[in-house]
Amino acid sequence: LTGTSREQRAFQYLLAHAIPGDPHHILQTFDQWCYHCEHLSCVGPDKGRIVERVLLERAPLRVLELGTYCGYGTVLLAQGLPPGARLYTIEGDPRHAAVAEKVIRLAGFSEQTVELIVGPSEEVIPRLREKHGLMNANLVFMDHWKRCYLRDLRLLESHQLLAEGATILADNVLFPGAPHFLQYAKTCGKYHCKVHRASLEY
């Protein structure tokens, strides 16, 4: 009725209640909105702890996120980066990207730390090295369309964008599910696989 999207309404709530420049409080405020007002398909706090643990273990200097959405996962990743690290995040929907850009900057991250790239992942990935300066990624977080997981993993491989020993963290591979991606990751011989059991967001 208001003519604004759920994502825009969530951002208005952040503006009213979150502490600017405090990534942790930004995420907490997002969680409050999603628990009590409207559901958004963000990573959420339960799965967020898995992401935080992986960041702590790996300390990646170059991170690629596929599927920015509202910027929740981006802020989660950015706050766990080691000093000097850079995060590249790709969002296909310009409306979501517009909200995410504001969320990322509200959390206090500059373009030097977090670069938001708007466009379909299959078009952006082949241009990451030449246009955006990403030589290869130590960590890739997949949280976009599940049917694109396998295609985009193969694109990353074919364009040699995965650093040696890189970690691929993919959300929702069991539900709604990315069976072809999962089968490939388990059987191609290039990866050691681990499934993290978690509840759905919110």
Side-chain angles (χ1 to χ4, degrees):
L1 290 174
T2 62
T4 59
S5 66
R6 275 190 306 174
E7 294 78 19
Q8 289 170 318
R9 292 194 291 273
F11 177 68
Q12 292 302 320
Y13 184 81
L14 283 185
L15 276 181
H17 297 92
I19 301 169
D22 185 337
H24 183 67
H25 197 259
I26 296 276
L27 295 176
Q28 279 187 323
T29 309
F30 245 129
D31 292 336
Q32 286 171 356
W33 172 265
C34 294
Y35 277 123
H36 303 297
C37 301
E38 293 181 279
H39 176 272
L40 294 173
S41 54
C42 303
V43 179
D46 293 339
K47 290 190 284 188
R49 281 187 278 276
I50 296 169
V51 176
E52 288 171 333
R53 192 168 71 242
V54 171
L55 282 167
L56 200 60
E57 289 169 0
R58 299 283 187 259
L61 287 175
R62 295 171 306 279
V63 178
L64 175 63
E65 179 186 32
L66 302 179
T68 317
Y69 188 42
C70 289
Y72 183 105
T74 315
V75 171
L76 180 69
L77 289 164
Q79 74 168 356
L81 292 176
R86 187 162 167 77
L87 167 60
Y88 302 80
T89 182
I90 301 172
E91 175 53 48
D93 187 325
R95 295 164 303 176
H96 293 161
V99 173
E101 180 83 46
K102 290 183 277 193
V103 170
I104 293 161
R105 305 312 166 209
L106 184 68
F109 298 109
S110 69
E111 289 186 14
Q112 280 66 50
T113 303
V114 179
E115 182 179 349
L116 172 59
I117 306 163
V118 185
S121 55
E122 71 271 21
E123 293 177 14
V124 174
I125 289 171
R127 302 197 310 258
L128 280 173
R129 183 172 287 120
E130 290 74 18
K131 192 170 180 184
H132 302 280
L134 175 60
M135 301 312 291
N136 52 40
N138 309 110
L139 174 68
V140 178
F141 181 48
M142 293 186 168
D143 195 16
H144 57 327
W145 294 106
K146 312 312 154 207
R147 56 182 162 77
C148 300
Y149 279 17
L150 178 55
R151 180 201 68 194
D152 288 352
L153 177 60
R154 285 178 160 162
L155 270 176
L156 291 168
E157 290 174 349
S158 66
H159 287 86
Q160 298 177 317
L161 286 164
L162 298 175
E164 190 175 344
T167 301
I168 315 290
L169 194 57
D171 195 15
N172 298 327
V173 293
L174 299 180
F175 182 84
H180 299 299
F181 166 84
L182 213 50
Q183 184 184 23
Y184 176 76
K186 286 178 176 177
T187 60
C188 72
K190 299 174 187 175
Y191 305 100
H192 298 287
C193 290
K194 180 179 180 181
V195 176
H196 298 269
R197 300 283 170 174
S199 62
L200 288 174
E201 56 279 348
Y202 311 114

